[in-house]
Amino acid sequence: MKKKRLVTGTLALLLVVAVGMASALAWQATRTAPASVTEECDLNTYDTLATMAFPDRTVTWQVRHLKGDRHEVLTHTAPDGTLIGRGEKIYKDGMLYLRETLEENPEVYGAWRVNPSNIQGHPLLGCLAPPAAGASGHSDAPHYTTDTFLSEEEGSMRREVWVDVVGQPVRERRTFYGPDYDGVTNTDTTVMELTYKDHGEPNVIKAPCADAVPDQANNPSLMLDCIALLAAKDGLRGTGTLNWSVDVAIGSWDRVTTAGTPSRVTKLLMSNKGLNGSIPVELGRLSGLQELKLSGNALTGCIPIALKDVPTNDLASLNLLYCRPPAPDTP
């Protein structure tokens, strides 16, 4: 569990540094850039790539911005290139979607988690004044350099920024100096290299179930229901006639009933649907489920223990045992 949480823990640290320390430079740029440059330099949609090297791993941070939305992927790799783990975050319409790869298999993502969020995905940098004529290219000296004291515990940071002919950032280097750094006896630094690239494509950020759940910002629980059902569909066979899709409102999904305020999936009536295979574990995540019908299908395996608490169900007719509860985490 500790290894799994390390991915999002590092991501959170990167975000605090990247977003928090960017504010001063972005504010200054707003004041100094001519209006014509600000209009021409559109950073509503662009990509960021950052890499950080540590003794035991390299961390790559990929960010895609689209107006107020942001999509992030954090990847940890060992010195020999072996994947340690990945974390993914999507900020969209006031919601945070988060998932991580499994501790036992870093190639496979676990389930999405969904929470309301007041974090906005606005660009890390605003437009800066364009460079002097002829000053371009990564081999030149940076166009802007700032030194910032972080705290007594964190030390300081130097930011070097290269921009294009209209003042749009194209590259940035952030060097972090620990509190004991003196350049002589203590020379430890951490360097983050970032590149910015305008991709210009609309609608590039697609949060899971974003179009299937109306008013998603006010109903994270229904978002989780939607994600769970889509994962369950992927694990079942014989579901070709189901219209469960991110492009269809969940209230119109075959044999799925939503109710309540805010709405939840309350009924799943899948009797005689020609299903086969194991009962998807994801059905146990439908915590608002009040009625479940699965009889008349060729289902195998065991019944997720969480389904035992559904008030109205026909699970006894399946003649299957309940799954054993997962073993508790060992310290």
Side-chain angles (χ1 to χ4, degrees), residues 235-237 275-281 283 294 296-304 307 315 318-323:
L236 285 171
R237 295 185 293 274
L275 305 179
N276 58 78
S278 300
I279 300 176
V281 173
L283 296 184
L294 294 175
N297 296 293
L299 296 173
T300 59
C302 59
I303 303 172
L307 297 180
L315 299 176
L318 303 180
N319 295 318
L320 298 175
L321 298 176
Y322 284 95
C323 305

Side-chain angles (χ1 to χ4, degrees), residues 181-246:
Y181 177 87
D182 59 14
V184 181
T185 59
N186 188 315
T187 58
D188 290 339
T189 61
T190 299
V191 178
M192 179 193 297
E193 291 280 354
L194 302 95
T195 58
Y196 298 92
K197 178 174 69 74
D198 179 21
H199 52 72
E201 298 177 11
N203 304 317
V204 293
I205 298 177
K206 191 76 170 181
C209 288
D211 295 331
V213 178
D215 195 24
Q216 56 178 307
N218 295 320
N219 200 347
S221 295
L222 187 58
M223 296 294 295
L224 287 174
D225 289 349
C226 175
I227 293 169
L229 285 176
L230 288 179
K233 178 185 176 184
D234 290 341
L236 285 171
R237 295 185 293 274
T239 58
T241 59
L242 291 175
N243 69 340
W244 299 1
S245 165
V246 294

